Amino acid sequence: MTQVHGFLGPIVFVMNVLRVIWTGYRMFTGRALPAERPLTGLYLGLFDLQAFLGLILLATVGTRAVSLLHPVLMLLAAVVAHMGVARGRKPDTPAAVPFALAVISTILVAAAYPSP
């Protein structure tokens, strides 16, 4: 399970960066990408899977491999990601809000990423 969690980490980070790009595109052009809905589902699905695996590892292995800051920041990043998607689906929300939340989530993921 540790290998799967380690494998998904960079993928989740890349999906966060892609989320920043596509929310930025919507903010600057006023149009959504054609594949935004499935990309958002994939983004949240991978993020949730990673968080779930991390919680299982935290419960079984503990924080021997990483500091406690890693799971705290990653769970916060997942919450911010969900907030960004939820706010982005509301029609009255300015496009800058999901973009800002995507940037914050990406910064949290980058800060939480364990150093080798």
Side-chain angles (χ1 to χ4, degrees):
M1 186 171 324
T2 306
Q3 294 85 5
V4 175
H5 186 71
F7 175 77
L8 285 178
I11 295 170
V12 168
F13 179 73
V14 168
M15 290 300 293
N16 265 280
V17 171
L18 289 174
R19 174 82 180 157
V20 169
I21 292 169
W22 82 68
T23 56
Y25 175 82
R26 182 168 39 152
M27 183 175 69
F28 290 117
T29 65
R31 296 177 303 178
L33 291 174
E36 184 169 348
R37 188 94 173 155
L39 280 174
T40 300
L42 180 63
Y43 164 71
L44 286 180
L46 286 173
F47 217 133
D48 289 347
L49 176 62
Q50 183 72 340
F52 181 66
L53 291 174
L55 287 173
I56 291 173
L57 286 171
L58 186 62
T60 57
V61 178
T63 58
R64 288 182 297 212
V66 294
S67 74
L68 186 59
L69 190 61
H70 174 74
V72 169
L73 288 176
M74 289 304 287
L75 286 175
L76 184 59
V79 168
V80 171
H82 276 273
M83 287 171 45
V85 170
R87 292 296 308 266
R89 289 183 178 159
K90 292 183 179 183
D92 60 336
T93 301
V97 172
F99 175 74
L101 291 171
V103 169
I104 292 167
S105 178
T106 303
I107 290 169
L108 288 169
V109 170
Y113 207 79
S115 57

